[in-house]
Amino acid sequence: LKKIVIVGVGLIGGSFALALRADTSQQFHIVGIDRDRDALDAAEQRRVIDARGDFASALPGADLVLIAVPVRQLPTTFAAIAPHLALHDSATTLVMDVGSTKCDVLAAATTHLGEHASRFVAAHPIAGRETSGVAAAEAGLFAGKNVILAPSDANTPACVTEAASWWKACGANPIVMSAAAHDAVFAAVSHLPHLLAFALVDELAARDNARQLFSFAASGFRDFTRIAGSSPEMWRDIALNNRDALLAELDAYAAKVAALRQQVASADAEGLEALMRRARTARAKWLAGDLDSFNSNGNTEAL
Amino acid sequence: LKKIVIVGVGLIGGSFALALRADTSQQFHIVGIDRDRDALDAAEQRRVIDARGDFASALPGADLVLIAVPVRQLPTTFAAIAPHLALHDSATTLVMDVGSTKCDVLAAATTHLGEHASRFVAAHPIAGRETSGVAAAEAGLFAGKNVILAPSDANTPACVTEAASWWKACGANPIVMSAAAHDAVFAAVSHLPHLLAFALVDELAARDNARQLFSFAASGFRDFTRIAGSSPEMWRDIALNNRDALLAELDAYAAKVAALRQQVASADAEGLEALMRRARTARAKWLAGDLDSFNSNGNTEAL
């Protein structure tokens, strides 16, 4: 019987618990910790958790602590759990997070987890929903999805393998990358597009003729700006927690758009069509799962 | 029995013909003109058109000529039809286009249609499909959709009303705007987002680690870049034909992104969250059809 503590019983924490329960080859005792009593009530009713607890009573003897709180609450959460881990055979308890940024999380773990930092493995499951909360949790949320593990220098290979095994038990596909590579990749393919979508909607909504503009916006605009419907608090934090990588992406994109502007200004029909054709072809290959012709530098290791 | 000539028997031209046929209160003789013999064959087989023809034989006595060719072919099409309109009681034949840009089309009509330019009404139906060609044409394509009419100084009010009546017969909602206002609005809500999406995909696809980047791109990236799957020829032409308005939008957006970059660089959490919250709220209101609180300058007149 393995003991698991879920700190933050929401969509991700709850789905992790349900996914483990679906693995009938093992048995788990799952304790939930949350500041939100309603979330704990709902989690108990759905049998997502077996019991609720607090750090002092729940952490001793735990095999795994999964911290699934908003990223900005990670430093204080690390600081809160550290004393209880240190007092009770800390070498046996593995700790993971689920945040969208990784360099900042590793730094916070080093600062606040003390000697237990070597047993913390930073993780980012690439799975989400428009909905949130434990009511939306489901056992299959991670099935077939990638989970990035970003080991620190203090982690042993055995510790990373152990972290990966938990995600495999959830049906996910663990992949090891450095925290820096993770943050650079997601700055480019996720954090930048989110900021660009927020910026376009805010720019047009502030215009004198905003009503006219939006009355003619159609399905292309709707899809381009879908991610501007995301949580302001969460994306504010991601932008600030991954600031350096995001600034590099904002600069690269600004340079790209400036070059495109020059092509329009100089009526470079050939150059414009070539750019659009390259983009359409690349996107079609990506959608077809055909990445063989793409440049393949970059360190990624599947576990 | 009204005589209609459709120049360019594709998705838009074919759907216009089918929509009129669905109006059982009137009878039409519809002649198709196209360089593509297969398109004419398909149009005849589907009874989209009654006959095929050429300019010299088809134009005399026509009540309406609908030119539904790619925008870059409009000047030569105007020049080709002008002699035949001028020879045969030109005052009775109304001419319309269906292009995505309007200032350039009005200028081409003035240059190439000669004395018949007063009977040309520039039109832009806000309806499309991912598919193209007459095989995709359908009678309901314009039902409930807006159609922008951008009158020239040479058009009489009666001429604009006549143009609107054709689109009403197709089930569409005609709206009058100046060509300049049309081009400014669509530069902002359509042409700019298309270029931004093409630019992002091309930027990332050219990277050394493109395979790694695209292997972690998820549904947010997919939707943000959906319009980068659009036709390179069509969007090259739109970008160049609406160059001035598009350059103004590119500059405004670059300034907005530069300001956003400054907020990230200075860790302005409050400013970032406020921007994201405004954007999310505006987009949610737009999706709900609730534009009452939006700034309402801008000239738009429903017919």
Side-chain angles (χ1 to χ4, degrees):
Chain A
L1 186 74
K2 289 187 175 173
K3 180 176 177 183
I4 296 163
V5 178
I6 307 278
V7 184
V9 185
L11 171 67
I12 301 293
S15 295
F16 187 88
L18 289 173
L20 289 184
R21 288 201 190 287
D23 175 3
T24 53
S25 71
Q26 301 184 74
Q27 286 219 313
F28 303 98
H29 180 70
I30 303 181
V31 180
I33 299 181
D34 206 299
R35 299 185 304 189
D36 179 354
R37 184 172 300 219
D38 291 341
L40 292 171
D41 289 345
E44 282 188 329
Q45 277 165 20
R46 289 194 63 192
R47 287 271 301 135
V48 171
I49 58 175
D50 298 296
R52 63 185 73 192
D54 55 35
F55 295 135
S57 63
L59 294 179
D63 294 282
L64 172 68
V65 179
L66 186 80
I67 308 179
V69 301
V71 175
R72 70 183 177 284
Q73 296 172 22
L74 279 173
T76 53
T77 307
F78 287 148
I81 69 172
H84 306 288
L85 293 169
L87 288 170
H88 308 276
D89 191 11
S90 66
T92 64
T93 303
L94 184 75
V95 180
M96 294 193 289
D97 79 317
V98 297
S100 299
T101 54
K102 294 274 73 86
C103 287
D104 62 312
V105 169
L106 283 184
T110 301
T111 302
H112 296 291
L113 283 180
E115 61 182 326
H116 202 83
S118 65
R119 291 286 291 163
F120 171 75
V121 179
H124 177 201
I126 315 303
R129 284 275 188 286
E130 305 282 321
T131 49
S132 59
V134 71
E138 53 181 271
L141 185 67
F142 306 114
K145 299 291 171 61
N146 290 326
V147 176
I148 314 294
L149 300 179
S152 71
D153 293 340
N155 293 143
T156 64
C159 180
V160 178
T161 302
E162 184 182 340
S165 71
W166 286 104
W167 290 105
K168 284 182 181 169
C170 293
N173 173 38
I175 293 176
V176 169
M177 295 171 70
S178 72
H182 168 280
D183 287 0
V185 165
F186 287 90
V189 302
S190 173
H191 309 170
L192 173 68
H194 275 77
L195 261 65
L196 295 177
F198 280 121
L200 181 64
V201 176
D202 192 48
E203 166 67 21
L204 300 187
R207 299 270 180 93
D208 276 353
N209 66 335
R211 189 184 301 190
Q212 182 186 43
L213 291 173
F214 281 86
S215 68
F216 293 111
S219 62
F221 186 85
R222 182 196 63 213
D223 289 352
F224 185 85
T225 61
R226 182 177 67 77
I227 47 184
S230 305
S231 159
E233 298 86 352
M234 177 174 162
W235 285 95
R236 170 201 67 196
D237 291 340
I238 288 173
L240 297 179
N241 290 355
N242 195 18
R243 184 165 57 168
D244 292 345
L246 183 55
L247 289 175
E249 288 300 333
L250 281 164
D251 290 343
Y253 188 69
K256 180 76 178 183
V257 171
L260 177 60
R261 186 206 188 281
Q262 180 53 32
Q263 291 181 303
V264 175
S266 64
D268 177 5
E270 202 174 326
L272 279 173
E273 184 183 341
L275 183 156
M276 292 169 175
R277 197 170 293 285
R278 288 195 304 269
R280 187 169 74 156
T281 301
R283 188 174 183 279
K285 285 189 176 181
W286 168 60
L287 285 177
D290 172 18
L291 299 183
D292 288 351
S293 62
F294 286 50
N295 296 330
S296 61
N297 284 352
N299 288 318
T300 305
E301 181 188 340
L303 275 188
Chain B
L1 187 75
K2 288 186 175 173
K3 181 176 177 184
I4 297 164
V5 179
I6 307 278
V7 184
V9 186
L11 171 68
I12 301 293
S15 294
F16 187 88
L18 288 173
L20 289 183
R21 288 202 192 286
D23 175 3
T24 52
S25 70
Q26 300 184 73
Q27 286 220 314
F28 303 99
H29 179 70
I30 303 181
V31 180
I33 299 180
D34 206 299
R35 299 185 303 189
D36 179 354
R37 184 172 301 218
D38 291 341
L40 292 170
D41 289 345
E44 282 188 328
Q45 276 165 21
R46 288 193 63 191
R47 287 272 300 135
V48 172
I49 59 174
D50 297 298
R52 63 184 76 193
D54 55 34
F55 295 136
S57 64
L59 295 179
D63 294 284
L64 172 68
V65 179
L66 186 81
I67 308 179
V69 300
V71 174
R72 71 184 176 284
Q73 295 172 21
L74 279 173
T76 54
T77 306
F78 288 148
I81 68 171
H84 306 289
L85 293 169
L87 288 171
H88 308 276
D89 192 10
S90 67
T92 65
T93 303
L94 185 75
V95 180
M96 295 194 289
D97 78 318
V98 297
S100 298
T101 54
K102 294 274 74 87
C103 287
D104 63 313
V105 169
L106 284 183
T110 301
T111 302
H112 296 291
L113 282 180
E115 61 182 326
H116 203 82
S118 65
R119 291 286 290 163
F120 171 75
V121 179
H124 177 200
I126 314 303
R129 285 275 188 285
E130 305 282 321
T131 51
S132 60
V134 71
E138 52 181 272
L141 185 66
F142 306 114
K145 299 291 171 58
N146 290 325
V147 176
I148 313 294
L149 301 179
S152 71
D153 294 339
N155 292 143
T156 62
C159 181
V160 177
T161 302
E162 185 183 337
S165 71
W166 286 103
W167 291 104
K168 284 183 183 171
C170 294
N173 173 38
I175 293 176
V176 170
M177 294 170 71
S178 72
H182 169 280
D183 287 359
V185 164
F186 287 91
V189 302
S190 173
H191 309 171
L192 173 68
H194 275 78
L195 262 65
L196 295 177
F198 280 121
L200 181 64
V201 176
D202 192 47
E203 166 68 22
L204 300 187
R207 299 269 180 93
D208 276 352
N209 66 334
R211 190 185 299 189
Q212 182 185 44
L213 292 172
F214 281 86
S215 69
F216 293 111
S219 61
F221 186 85
R222 183 196 63 213
D223 289 353
F224 186 85
T225 62
R226 181 177 67 77
I227 49 184
S230 305
S231 160
E233 299 85 351
M234 179 174 162
W235 284 94
R236 171 201 67 195
D237 291 341
I238 288 173
L240 296 179
N241 290 355
N242 196 18
R243 184 165 57 167
D244 292 344
L246 183 55
L247 289 175
E249 287 300 332
L250 281 164
D251 291 342
Y253 188 69
K256 180 76 178 183
V257 172
L260 177 59
R261 185 205 190 282
Q262 180 54 32
Q263 290 183 302
V264 175
S266 64
D268 177 6
E270 201 174 325
L272 280 173
E273 184 184 342
L275 183 156
M276 293 169 175
R277 196 170 294 285
R278 287 194 305 268
R280 185 169 75 156
T281 300
R283 187 173 183 279
K285 285 189 176 181
W286 168 61
L287 285 177
D290 172 18
L291 300 182
D292 287 351
S293 62
F294 285 50
N295 296 330
S296 62
N297 284 351
N299 286 319
T300 305
E301 182 187 340
L303 275 187

